[in-house]
Amino acid sequence: MEAMLRAGGAVALVFSVFVHLSLLSRSSPLSSQDLRIVDAERRIDLTSHIVNVFLTLKVENTGTSPASEILLAFPPTQADNLALLKAATSVGKRKKKSYESLSVNPTEQPEAPNGTKYFSISLLKPLSTGETVTLEVFYILTHSLEPFPVEISQSEAQLVYYRDSAIILSPYHIKQQKTYIKLPSSRVESFTRVEPTSHANAELKYGPYEDRPSYSFSPIIVHFQNNNPFAVVEELVREVEISHWGSLQITEHYRLVHAGARHKGVFSRLDYQSRPSFSASSFRHLLARLPPRVHSVYYRDEIGNISTSHLRADFQKSELEIEPRYPLFGGWKATFVIGYGLPLQDFLFESPDGRRYLNFSFGCPLTGTVVDKLTIKVVLPEGSKEPHSVVPFPVEQRVETSYSYLDVVGRTVVVLEKENVVPEHNSPFQVYYTFNPIFMLAEPLMLASVFFLFFMACVAYLHVDLSLRK
Ligand SMILES: *[C@@H]1O[C@H](CO)[C@@H](O)[C@H](O)[C@H]1NC(C)=O
Ligand SMILES: *[C@@H]1O[C@H](CO)[C@@H](O)[C@H](O)[C@H]1NC(C)=O
């Protein structure tokens, strides 16, 4: 009996080795056997409601052929909330060290375990056998802090959960790794321990962990205080209208929500005003960073103009501080419009090939906000043709036609749409177009002809009138 059991055990062992081997051979297209991470350090910054992660990877080629791509792996939930992902490598030695950015693209892998999502980093030059390269990866996650409790009263602090893995998810073996998590304060309710784990002040440290095989995963939950205003713009529509008569008119429609723990109970304005520190997670002011030389600024909501806004402007930037009609608590929304004018010559240029182009900032002017859905509509002057936009990251694009008063052929509108926009997306984009200056005369000519016809009509009428009296 015992012998039979032992034999059975041996068969099971052989079987499991066989399964293991077949798994290994099947995963070889990932080329994970050829690369290995010698050292990895991850810094997760949870101090605001937007999660910033800095990852340093030292990768070695242990295979026999040169490698030109390195894979990054993300659990599906993180991949869904990934707003930005950048990679760079350092070139040059010590003092002359500089960083060169590398292209990162989503990629598919056969048999991705548990729905893992991949991105591939293209190296500047292939990594030959035995060589190592150091990569700096930066990524941003939005909507990754989950308020718990989900409802709090006016005077309670906001607590949130952050979920991740203590071990970095990777298709490669990681020889040595550490993770640091930076928190907004030292107030931590609880955190998962994966020894060695330590907590000092506002920082948690996981690791060092040695020799973790590919796809190692060890879920952790950190429950901590985060009283940041979770300012989320559910929808922002920015209209940028170019008039060749000298100005750029911007109209921005916001639908803002406090995406933190929902407010429960009654709101006491008295408590709010007498003890502002008591309502720590609510927010009252918003700051919009606008370009310099801004003019005719307004701020209104459904009810009308709101006068509680302050504009500070110098030659480098303008800051508009706006105050909604009521402070925003978790779950509360505010809908408003900001409008302003800008001098055209600061944003409209002529390219060497004779086309004109608008060079304007993408993203949302409100600081520290996430925009779930951003639409930018660039309204070109009447008579503009062949619009072409250049945006430094993937966006949805389409062209529409709009009509305003006095328009004859309508205006071309370039519509750019992007989801999950963070402050790092505030980089310049361009819209090129061709324009025939004769169209600048169209409106005045039309006005003149309307007046002329009106005048002729009057003359005719008077003439008829006179002739009748006779
Ligand atoms: C709101 O303010 C703008 C700019 O100051 C002004 O042009 C507009 O007439 C005002 N609207 C109302 C309803 O007061
Ligand atoms: C657009 O403007 C930015 C500064 O706001 C400048 O750095 C950049 O070179 C400009 N791009 C083009 C194509 O003119």
Side-chain angles (χ1 to χ4, degrees), residues 24-75:
L24 278 182
S25 61
R26 239 191 295 157
S27 62
S28 66
L30 287 175
S31 74
S32 52
Q33 267 57 54
D34 298 341
L35 291 173
R36 166 174 97 126
I37 297 174
V38 189
D39 191 21
E41 188 187 285
R42 183 171 52 160
R43 293 185 174 271
I44 305 175
D45 185 337
L46 302 181
T47 53
S48 83
H49 70 122
I50 303 174
V51 178
N52 291 333
V53 185
F54 302 87
L55 185 64
T56 307
L57 301 173
K58 194 171 167 198
V59 187
E60 184 185 9
N61 186 353
T62 51
T64 46
S65 54
S68 55
E69 303 216 311
I70 290 170
L71 293 179
L72 292 175
F74 289 91

Tab-separated table of all heavy atoms in Angstrom, residues 24-75:
chain	number	residue	atom	x	y	z
A	24	LEU	N	7.079	26.080	-19.420
A	24	LEU	CA	8.288	26.853	-19.722
A	24	LEU	C	8.498	26.970	-21.215
A	24	LEU	O	8.738	28.043	-21.737
A	24	LEU	CB	9.511	26.170	-19.104
A	24	LEU	CG	9.761	26.456	-17.627
A	24	LEU	CD1	11.024	25.755	-17.190
A	24	LEU	CD2	9.859	27.950	-17.387
A	25	SER	N	8.351	25.779	-21.900
A	25	SER	CA	8.646	25.809	-23.328
A	25	SER	C	7.584	26.642	-24.048
A	25	SER	O	7.858	27.280	-25.038
A	25	SER	CB	8.704	24.396	-23.896
A	25	SER	OG	7.446	23.783	-23.725
A	26	ARG	N	6.328	26.621	-23.508
A	26	ARG	CA	5.288	27.378	-24.183
A	26	ARG	C	5.485	28.892	-23.992
A	26	ARG	O	5.139	29.679	-24.841
A	26	ARG	CB	3.911	26.973	-23.651
A	26	ARG	CG	3.049	26.439	-24.780
A	26	ARG	CD	1.633	26.284	-24.349
A	26	ARG	NE	1.497	25.271	-23.302
A	26	ARG	CZ	0.473	25.258	-22.453
A	26	ARG	NH1	-0.453	26.170	-22.515
A	26	ARG	NH2	0.401	24.325	-21.535
A	27	SER	N	6.041	29.254	-22.820
A	27	SER	CA	6.187	30.688	-22.575
A	27	SER	C	7.450	31.246	-23.221
A	27	SER	O	7.744	32.412	-23.105
A	27	SER	CB	6.186	30.977	-21.080
A	27	SER	OG	7.286	30.335	-20.481
A	28	SER	N	8.195	30.367	-23.917
A	28	SER	CA	9.440	30.872	-24.494
A	28	SER	C	9.267	31.949	-25.560
A	28	SER	O	10.132	32.789	-25.710
A	28	SER	CB	10.295	29.718	-25.026
A	28	SER	OG	9.638	29.107	-26.101
A	29	PRO	N	8.098	32.008	-26.287
A	29	PRO	CA	7.974	33.114	-27.241
A	29	PRO	C	8.056	34.480	-26.542
A	29	PRO	O	8.339	35.488	-27.167
A	29	PRO	CB	6.590	32.912	-27.873
A	29	PRO	CG	6.103	31.600	-27.443
A	29	PRO	CD	6.991	31.067	-26.403
A	30	LEU	N	7.771	34.511	-25.227
A	30	LEU	CA	7.882	35.765	-24.480
A	30	LEU	C	9.339	36.184	-24.354
A	30	LEU	O	9.616	37.285	-23.920
A	30	LEU	CB	7.331	35.579	-23.063
A	30	LEU	CG	5.822	35.458	-22.907
A	30	LEU	CD1	5.489	35.161	-21.469
A	30	LEU	CD2	5.169	36.742	-23.344
A	31	SER	N	10.230	35.289	-24.671
A	31	SER	CA	11.666	35.500	-24.554
A	31	SER	C	12.046	35.877	-23.131
A	31	SER	O	13.051	36.496	-22.879
A	31	SER	CB	12.179	36.562	-25.538
A	31	SER	OG	11.807	37.839	-25.114
A	32	SER	N	11.149	35.490	-22.166
A	32	SER	CA	11.430	35.853	-20.784
A	32	SER	C	12.617	35.075	-20.227
A	32	SER	O	13.191	35.438	-19.229
A	32	SER	CB	10.196	35.615	-19.932
A	32	SER	OG	9.741	34.304	-20.157
A	33	GLN	N	12.951	33.975	-20.918
A	33	GLN	CA	14.086	33.196	-20.431
A	33	GLN	C	15.402	33.878	-20.790
A	33	GLN	O	16.428	33.611	-20.212
A	33	GLN	CB	14.050	31.790	-21.052
A	33	GLN	CG	13.341	30.782	-20.191
A	33	GLN	CD	11.912	31.196	-19.881
A	33	GLN	OE1	11.131	31.483	-20.770
A	33	GLN	NE2	11.588	31.250	-18.608
A	34	ASP	N	15.325	34.781	-21.742
A	34	ASP	CA	16.555	35.387	-22.229
A	34	ASP	C	16.901	36.681	-21.518
A	34	ASP	O	18.013	37.162	-21.603
A	34	ASP	CB	16.438	35.669	-23.734
A	34	ASP	CG	16.239	34.380	-24.512
A	34	ASP	OD1	16.555	33.318	-23.945
A	34	ASP	OD2	15.770	34.449	-25.647
A	35	LEU	N	15.895	37.265	-20.827
A	35	LEU	CA	16.166	38.517	-20.126
A	35	LEU	C	15.911	38.304	-18.646
A	35	LEU	O	15.122	37.461	-18.249
A	35	LEU	CB	15.237	39.624	-20.637
A	35	LEU	CG	15.472	40.115	-22.060
A	35	LEU	CD1	14.373	41.065	-22.457
A	35	LEU	CD2	16.820	40.793	-22.185
A	36	ARG	N	16.566	39.120	-17.858
A	36	ARG	CA	16.429	38.972	-16.421
A	36	ARG	C	16.608	40.358	-15.830
A	36	ARG	O	17.380	41.168	-16.349
A	36	ARG	CB	17.519	38.004	-15.987
A	36	ARG	CG	17.820	37.909	-14.547
A	36	ARG	CD	18.822	36.782	-14.397
A	36	ARG	NE	20.147	37.380	-14.345
A	36	ARG	CZ	20.997	37.128	-13.335
A	36	ARG	NH1	20.697	36.288	-12.384
A	36	ARG	NH2	22.172	37.721	-13.328
A	37	ILE	N	15.838	40.666	-14.786
A	37	ILE	CA	16.001	41.959	-14.138
A	37	ILE	C	16.943	41.769	-12.947
A	37	ILE	O	16.654	40.978	-12.047
A	37	ILE	CB	14.642	42.558	-13.722
A	37	ILE	CG1	13.797	42.805	-14.985
A	37	ILE	CG2	14.840	43.843	-12.939
A	37	ILE	CD1	12.391	43.249	-14.742
A	38	VAL	N	18.063	42.437	-13.004
A	38	VAL	CA	19.080	42.253	-11.977
A	38	VAL	C	18.667	43.013	-10.719
A	38	VAL	O	18.825	42.545	-9.607
A	38	VAL	CB	20.443	42.787	-12.469
A	38	VAL	CG1	21.548	42.406	-11.513
A	38	VAL	CG2	20.741	42.274	-13.864
A	39	ASP	N	18.120	44.215	-10.940
A	39	ASP	CA	17.753	45.042	-9.798
A	39	ASP	C	16.553	45.901	-10.189
A	39	ASP	O	16.527	46.472	-11.279
A	39	ASP	CB	18.949	45.937	-9.428
A	39	ASP	CG	18.732	46.625	-8.098
A	39	ASP	OD1	17.908	46.135	-7.300
A	39	ASP	OD2	19.379	47.656	-7.868
A	40	ALA	N	15.565	45.972	-9.293
A	40	ALA	CA	14.387	46.797	-9.571
A	40	ALA	C	14.050	47.604	-8.338
A	40	ALA	O	14.102	47.104	-7.215
A	40	ALA	CB	13.208	45.915	-9.962
A	41	GLU	N	13.740	48.879	-8.564
A	41	GLU	CA	13.300	49.720	-7.460
A	41	GLU	C	12.053	50.456	-7.908
A	41	GLU	O	12.028	51.033	-8.996
A	41	GLU	CB	14.391	50.723	-7.094
A	41	GLU	CG	14.037	51.480	-5.837
A	41	GLU	CD	15.021	52.600	-5.545
A	41	GLU	OE1	16.145	52.301	-5.099
A	41	GLU	OE2	14.659	53.759	-5.790
A	42	ARG	N	11.017	50.408	-7.060
A	42	ARG	CA	9.761	51.051	-7.437
A	42	ARG	C	9.401	52.050	-6.348
A	42	ARG	O	9.496	51.734	-5.155
A	42	ARG	CB	8.688	49.962	-7.544
A	42	ARG	CG	7.341	50.469	-7.990
A	42	ARG	CD	6.402	49.307	-8.279
A	42	ARG	NE	6.332	48.372	-7.162
A	42	ARG	CZ	5.339	47.509	-6.974
A	42	ARG	NH1	4.344	47.451	-7.820
A	42	ARG	NH2	5.349	46.686	-5.948
A	43	ARG	N	9.015	53.253	-6.738
A	43	ARG	CA	8.553	54.275	-5.787
A	43	ARG	C	7.139	54.666	-6.154
A	43	ARG	O	6.901	55.206	-7.226
A	43	ARG	CB	9.467	55.498	-5.820
A	43	ARG	CG	10.844	55.172	-5.291
A	43	ARG	CD	11.749	56.374	-5.181
A	43	ARG	NE	12.983	55.963	-4.535
A	43	ARG	CZ	13.170	55.967	-3.224
A	43	ARG	NH1	12.230	56.424	-2.431
A	43	ARG	NH2	14.308	55.533	-2.708
A	44	ILE	N	6.210	54.375	-5.261
A	44	ILE	CA	4.802	54.672	-5.524
A	44	ILE	C	4.427	55.890	-4.681
A	44	ILE	O	4.564	55.864	-3.464
A	44	ILE	CB	3.917	53.466	-5.157
A	44	ILE	CG1	4.396	52.217	-5.897
A	44	ILE	CG2	2.452	53.753	-5.453
A	44	ILE	CD1	3.662	50.948	-5.511
A	45	ASP	N	3.982	56.940	-5.335
A	45	ASP	CA	3.638	58.169	-4.629
A	45	ASP	C	2.117	58.267	-4.494
A	45	ASP	O	1.416	58.436	-5.489
A	45	ASP	CB	4.207	59.352	-5.433
A	45	ASP	CG	4.005	60.674	-4.729
A	45	ASP	OD1	3.095	60.767	-3.882
A	45	ASP	OD2	4.754	61.623	-5.024
A	46	LEU	N	1.645	58.155	-3.248
A	46	LEU	CA	0.197	58.201	-3.016
A	46	LEU	C	-0.194	59.489	-2.310
A	46	LEU	O	-1.208	59.546	-1.619
A	46	LEU	CB	-0.229	56.996	-2.155
A	46	LEU	CG	0.077	55.604	-2.699
A	46	LEU	CD1	-0.429	54.544	-1.730
A	46	LEU	CD2	-0.556	55.402	-4.055
A	47	THR	N	0.598	60.556	-2.461
A	47	THR	CA	0.325	61.770	-1.695
A	47	THR	C	-0.834	62.592	-2.248
A	47	THR	O	-1.359	63.440	-1.549
A	47	THR	CB	1.576	62.668	-1.605
A	47	THR	OG1	2.054	62.892	-2.928
A	47	THR	CG2	2.667	62.020	-0.790
A	48	SER	N	-1.223	62.395	-3.498
A	48	SER	CA	-2.402	63.120	-3.996
A	48	SER	C	-3.436	62.080	-4.401
A	48	SER	O	-3.326	60.920	-4.033
A	48	SER	CB	-2.031	64.031	-5.159
A	48	SER	OG	-1.996	63.318	-6.361
A	49	HIS	N	-4.429	62.453	-5.187
A	49	HIS	CA	-5.392	61.429	-5.610
A	49	HIS	C	-4.975	60.815	-6.940
A	49	HIS	O	-5.622	59.912	-7.449
A	49	HIS	CB	-6.811	62.005	-5.677
A	49	HIS	CG	-7.040	62.974	-6.794
A	49	HIS	ND1	-8.003	62.791	-7.751
A	49	HIS	CD2	-6.435	64.129	-7.104
A	49	HIS	CE1	-7.975	63.809	-8.594
A	49	HIS	NE2	-7.037	64.635	-8.223
A	50	ILE	N	-3.876	61.321	-7.494
A	50	ILE	CA	-3.330	60.753	-8.723
A	50	ILE	C	-2.084	59.966	-8.304
A	50	ILE	O	-1.235	60.498	-7.607
A	50	ILE	CB	-2.965	61.880	-9.715
A	50	ILE	CG1	-4.208	62.745	-9.992
A	50	ILE	CG2	-2.392	61.336	-10.992
A	50	ILE	CD1	-3.946	63.971	-10.842
A	51	VAL	N	-2.006	58.715	-8.710
A	51	VAL	CA	-0.896	57.864	-8.267
A	51	VAL	C	0.255	57.942	-9.274
A	51	VAL	O	0.066	57.661	-10.456
A	51	VAL	CB	-1.375	56.402	-8.110
A	51	VAL	CG1	-0.231	55.495	-7.691
A	51	VAL	CG2	-2.526	56.322	-7.121
A	52	ASN	N	1.432	58.352	-8.791
A	52	ASN	CA	2.619	58.410	-9.650
A	52	ASN	C	3.566	57.276	-9.278
A	52	ASN	O	3.848	57.087	-8.101
A	52	ASN	CB	3.375	59.726	-9.442
A	52	ASN	CG	2.601	60.912	-9.984
A	52	ASN	OD1	1.806	60.777	-10.904
A	52	ASN	ND2	2.832	62.062	-9.406
A	53	VAL	N	4.043	56.543	-10.261
A	53	VAL	CA	4.957	55.441	-9.967
A	53	VAL	C	6.244	55.588	-10.783
A	53	VAL	O	6.199	55.800	-11.998
A	53	VAL	CB	4.309	54.069	-10.269
A	53	VAL	CG1	5.231	52.932	-9.849
A	53	VAL	CG2	2.966	53.938	-9.578
A	54	PHE	N	7.361	55.530	-10.085
A	54	PHE	CA	8.684	55.596	-10.720
A	54	PHE	C	9.314	54.228	-10.557
A	54	PHE	O	9.418	53.718	-9.448
A	54	PHE	CB	9.565	56.633	-10.022
A	54	PHE	CG	8.978	58.009	-10.023
A	54	PHE	CD1	8.107	58.401	-9.008
A	54	PHE	CD2	9.275	58.907	-11.029
A	54	PHE	CE1	7.550	59.669	-9.001
A	54	PHE	CE2	8.724	60.172	-11.032
A	54	PHE	CZ	7.861	60.556	-10.019
A	55	LEU	N	9.748	53.667	-11.674
A	55	LEU	CA	10.289	52.312	-11.641
A	55	LEU	C	11.661	52.329	-12.303
A	55	LEU	O	11.800	52.808	-13.424
A	55	LEU	CB	9.309	51.427	-12.425
A	55	LEU	CG	9.501	49.944	-12.491
A	55	LEU	CD1	9.374	49.331	-11.107
A	55	LEU	CD2	8.423	49.340	-13.401
A	56	THR	N	12.665	51.843	-11.594
A	56	THR	CA	14.000	51.743	-12.190
A	56	THR	C	14.326	50.268	-12.360
A	56	THR	O	14.266	49.509	-11.395
A	56	THR	CB	15.050	52.412	-11.281
A	56	THR	OG1	14.616	53.728	-10.995
A	56	THR	CG2	16.408	52.472	-11.943
A	57	LEU	N	14.624	49.880	-13.578
A	57	LEU	CA	14.905	48.471	-13.859
A	57	LEU	C	16.286	48.326	-14.474
A	57	LEU	O	16.619	49.038	-15.427
A	57	LEU	CB	13.886	47.915	-14.874
A	57	LEU	CG	12.405	47.958	-14.510
A	57	LEU	CD1	11.565	47.525	-15.707
A	57	LEU	CD2	12.121	47.065	-13.321
A	58	LYS	N	17.069	47.410	-13.907
A	58	LYS	CA	18.351	47.108	-14.532
A	58	LYS	C	18.197	45.737	-15.170
A	58	LYS	O	18.001	44.745	-14.491
A	58	LYS	CB	19.445	47.100	-13.461
A	58	LYS	CG	20.828	47.127	-14.027
A	58	LYS	CD	21.840	47.335	-12.935
A	58	LYS	CE	23.234	47.058	-13.445
A	58	LYS	NZ	24.160	46.832	-12.324
A	59	VAL	N	18.201	45.732	-16.499
A	59	VAL	CA	17.886	44.510	-17.237
A	59	VAL	C	19.141	43.928	-17.871
A	59	VAL	O	19.952	44.656	-18.436
A	59	VAL	CB	16.847	44.808	-18.350
A	59	VAL	CG1	16.378	43.526	-19.015
A	59	VAL	CG2	15.665	45.576	-17.794
A	60	GLU	N	19.276	42.609	-17.744
A	60	GLU	CA	20.440	41.932	-18.329
A	60	GLU	C	19.989	40.934	-19.380
A	60	GLU	O	18.982	40.249	-19.198
A	60	GLU	CB	21.188	41.189	-17.214
A	60	GLU	CG	22.456	40.536	-17.696
A	60	GLU	CD	23.130	39.685	-16.618
A	60	GLU	OE1	22.525	39.468	-15.551
A	60	GLU	OE2	24.252	39.243	-16.875
A	61	ASN	N	20.707	40.869	-20.461
A	61	ASN	CA	20.406	39.866	-21.488
A	61	ASN	C	21.220	38.607	-21.194
A	61	ASN	O	22.437	38.591	-21.317
A	61	ASN	CB	20.749	40.413	-22.875
A	61	ASN	CG	20.317	39.475	-23.985
A	61	ASN	OD1	19.876	38.355	-23.720
A	61	ASN	ND2	20.431	39.925	-25.224
A	62	THR	N	20.513	37.540	-20.801
A	62	THR	CA	21.197	36.291	-20.473
A	62	THR	C	21.038	35.268	-21.592
A	62	THR	O	21.431	34.127	-21.460
A	62	THR	CB	20.618	35.695	-19.165
A	62	THR	OG1	19.200	35.636	-19.303
A	62	THR	CG2	20.983	36.537	-17.975
A	63	GLY	N	20.399	35.710	-22.683
A	63	GLY	CA	20.167	34.788	-23.806
A	63	GLY	C	21.340	34.748	-24.753
A	63	GLY	O	22.439	35.219	-24.429
A	64	THR	N	21.084	34.217	-25.922
A	64	THR	CA	22.167	34.079	-26.886
A	64	THR	C	22.045	35.073	-28.039
A	64	THR	O	22.995	35.306	-28.766
A	64	THR	CB	22.195	32.648	-27.469
A	64	THR	OG1	20.859	32.309	-27.822
A	64	THR	CG2	22.737	31.657	-26.467
A	65	SER	N	20.842	35.658	-28.198
A	65	SER	CA	20.677	36.629	-29.292
A	65	SER	C	20.366	38.006	-28.727
A	65	SER	O	19.832	38.129	-27.617
A	65	SER	CB	19.556	36.162	-30.223
A	65	SER	OG	18.400	35.928	-29.456
A	66	PRO	N	20.679	39.077	-29.477
A	66	PRO	CA	20.430	40.430	-28.977
A	66	PRO	C	18.927	40.677	-28.774
A	66	PRO	O	18.105	40.131	-29.502
A	66	PRO	CB	20.975	41.334	-30.084
A	66	PRO	CG	21.807	40.471	-30.960
A	66	PRO	CD	21.277	39.080	-30.819
A	67	ALA	N	18.586	41.489	-27.785
A	67	ALA	CA	17.184	41.814	-27.506
A	67	ALA	C	16.958	43.289	-27.800
A	67	ALA	O	17.776	44.131	-27.430
A	67	ALA	CB	16.871	41.509	-26.052
A	68	SER	N	15.876	43.601	-28.512
A	68	SER	CA	15.649	45.008	-28.827
A	68	SER	C	14.424	45.566	-28.103
A	68	SER	O	14.152	46.751	-28.153
A	68	SER	CB	15.489	45.191	-30.328
A	68	SER	OG	14.462	44.337	-30.770
A	69	GLU	N	13.672	44.680	-27.443
A	69	GLU	CA	12.475	45.136	-26.754
A	69	GLU	C	12.421	44.569	-25.347
A	69	GLU	O	12.882	43.454	-25.107
A	69	GLU	CB	11.238	44.658	-27.506
A	69	GLU	CG	11.217	45.108	-28.937
A	69	GLU	CD	9.820	45.439	-29.406
A	69	GLU	OE1	8.935	44.607	-29.173
A	69	GLU	OE2	9.632	46.528	-29.978
A	70	ILE	N	11.851	45.364	-24.443
A	70	ILE	CA	11.681	44.902	-23.070
A	70	ILE	C	10.220	45.073	-22.708
A	70	ILE	O	9.613	46.102	-23.025
A	70	ILE	CB	12.618	45.684	-22.128
A	70	ILE	CG1	14.054	45.242	-22.417
A	70	ILE	CG2	12.262	45.457	-20.667
A	70	ILE	CD1	15.103	46.049	-21.781
A	71	LEU	N	9.638	44.043	-22.092
A	71	LEU	CA	8.208	44.088	-21.797
A	71	LEU	C	7.933	44.574	-20.377
A	71	LEU	O	8.653	44.250	-19.444
A	71	LEU	CB	7.603	42.686	-21.948
A	71	LEU	CG	7.562	42.081	-23.345
A	71	LEU	CD1	6.954	40.687	-23.273
A	71	LEU	CD2	6.760	42.963	-24.280
A	72	LEU	N	6.858	45.370	-20.263
A	72	LEU	CA	6.356	45.758	-18.954
A	72	LEU	C	5.003	45.079	-18.811
A	72	LEU	O	4.242	45.036	-19.772
A	72	LEU	CB	6.150	47.268	-18.877
A	72	LEU	CG	7.379	48.155	-18.911
A	72	LEU	CD1	6.932	49.604	-18.940
A	72	LEU	CD2	8.252	47.911	-17.698
A	73	ALA	N	4.699	44.576	-17.623
A	73	ALA	CA	3.416	43.896	-17.427
A	73	ALA	C	2.582	44.644	-16.403
A	73	ALA	O	3.126	45.187	-15.428
A	73	ALA	CB	3.671	42.469	-16.963
A	74	PHE	N	1.274	44.722	-16.639
A	74	PHE	CA	0.356	45.359	-15.692
A	74	PHE	C	-0.844	44.450	-15.450
A	74	PHE	O	-1.368	43.867	-16.395
A	74	PHE	CB	-0.171	46.684	-16.252
A	74	PHE	CG	0.861	47.766	-16.305
A	74	PHE	CD1	1.633	47.951	-17.443
A	74	PHE	CD2	1.068	48.599	-15.218
A	74	PHE	CE1	2.595	48.953	-17.493
A	74	PHE	CE2	2.020	49.598	-15.262
A	74	PHE	CZ	2.790	49.775	-16.403
A	75	PRO	N	-1.295	44.378	-14.189
A	75	PRO	CA	-2.557	43.665	-13.962
A	75	PRO	C	-3.668	44.432	-14.688
A	75	PRO	O	-3.573	45.651	-14.820
A	75	PRO	CB	-2.754	43.733	-12.446
A	75	PRO	CG	-1.537	44.371	-11.869
A	75	PRO	CD	-0.745	44.969	-12.970
